[in-house]
Amino acid sequence: SAVISQKPSRDICQRGTSLTIQCQVDSQVTMMFWYRQQPGQSLTLIATANQGSEATYESGFVIDKFPISRPNLTFSTLTVSNMSPEDSSIYLCSVDRDNRQRGTEAFFGQGTRLTVV
Amino acid sequence: AQSVSQHNHHVILSEAASLELGCNYSYGGTVNLFWYVQYPGQHLQLLLKYFSGDPLVKGIKGFEAEFIKSKFSFNLRKPSVQWSDTAEYFCAVNARTGGFKTIFGAGTRLFVKA
């Protein structure tokens, strides 16, 4: 398993501002993933962050809105920029084992509950 | 594009009833399959997973799932549900062809009447 720590656990932000969410993993991993879970909905993948390269964004998500950093193999940040109430969601960091042959189940952080007012 | 479909969005059962939640995926090739559960106000927990071998997988809390490759399905079952099984259940898939991104279904909200 993997232990994933996310900060902050929750925040209330004013529209138009930005929030950076941090994700720390207790072991080195190649791939880190950022998800969003909007109220009452499933998890939607925002992007995949690999160390040493730019993040790969899913359809509907862009770097200007959700810039991601991945400075090393145990840490990543997701910024939610120029926030609007529609960005109110739980944001989750997830990691996979460093096993390109098989992968493994996704391990999740506790999530960051963001409310934009 | 890779996708995961869950057939039931809402299910209401009485205690002791049997449960089956449908899940189909659209990947080709080798897949890893999962069921996650999210209890009210809590975070995602892994119920069970399939990587290879016996297609009938047993998980926690009496849940099991069967991988049927020919049907691209991974249905979740429990012979007798309890009130405490009230939760949302998510089917998820990842695959090498998808870069091992885990893609989730829309979820099934289960309510068990006491």
Side-chain angles (χ1 to χ4, degrees):
Chain A
S1 63
V3 175
I4 304 168
S5 302
Q6 260 186 257
K7 288 188 210 179
S9 59
R10 58 179 64 227
D11 207 342
I12 300 173
C13 300
Q14 296 289 326
R15 68 178 67 201
T17 62
S18 298
L19 175 72
T20 295
I21 302 167
Q22 299 180 1
C23 177
Q24 179 75 51
V25 188
D26 68 342
S27 58
Q28 294 184 340
V29 292
T30 300
M31 294 185 282
M32 294 179 76
F33 305 91
W34 287 98
Y35 288 85
R36 179 174 74 182
Q37 187 176 24
Q38 293 177 300
Q41 297 191 29
S42 184
L43 279 75
T44 302
L45 182 64
I46 297 171
T48 303
N50 291 333
Q51 195 269 335
S53 62
E54 286 213 353
T56 303
Y57 289 82
E58 297 299 306
S59 176
F61 297 96
V62 295
I63 188 171
D64 289 346
K65 176 68 176 176
F66 297 101
I68 288 171
S69 78
R70 184 78 202 275
N72 58 52
L73 290 172
T74 64
F75 187 78
S76 178
T77 67
L78 170 76
T79 300
V80 186
S81 304
N82 188 24
M83 288 183 284
S84 66
E86 292 70 36
D87 294 320
S88 298
S89 286
I90 298 173
Y91 291 85
L92 294 135
C93 172
S94 172
V95 301
D96 199 346
R97 282 273 185 241
D98 188 10
N99 183 346
R100 292 184 181 277
Q101 298 305 312
R102 283 314 315 247
T104 187
E105 72 265 26
F107 297 97
F108 290 92
Q110 299 284 42
T112 296
R113 185 179 294 271
L114 170 63
T115 302
V116 183
V117 297
Chain B
Q2 51 210 37
S3 65
V4 180
S5 299
Q6 290 184 240
H7 311 307
N8 316 96
H9 296 295
H10 292 93
V11 174
I12 301 174
L13 295 173
S14 298
E15 276 196 312
S18 64
L19 170 72
E20 180 160 1
L21 301 182
C23 174
N24 286 90
Y25 63 92
S26 65
Y27 286 86
T30 303
V31 294
N32 303 318
L33 298 155
F34 315 94
W35 277 96
Y36 287 85
V37 61
Q38 188 171 34
Y39 297 102
Q42 296 189 27
H43 306 290
L44 280 173
Q45 298 178 38
L46 181 69
L47 265 183
L48 48 79
K49 60 189 178 187
Y50 171 81
F51 286 171
S52 63
D54 188 345
L56 184 61
V57 179
K58 295 193 184 299
I60 61 172
K61 306 187 180 187
F63 286 91
E64 64 178 34
E66 185 175 13
F67 170 49
I68 302 179
K69 189 175 181 179
S70 61
K71 295 185 178 180
F72 296 88
S73 70
F74 190 56
N75 292 353
L76 180 71
R77 300 194 290 251
K78 186 171 183 177
S80 175
V81 295
Q82 301 172 313
W83 176 80
S84 58
D85 293 324
T86 295
E88 189 150 18
Y89 293 81
F90 296 96
C91 181
V93 180
N94 69 34
R96 184 186 312 168
T97 53
F100 291 125
K101 298 179 294 188
T102 301
I103 302 300
F104 286 80
T108 297
R109 203 176 288 270
L110 171 67
F111 180 73
V112 180
K113 297 184 291 185

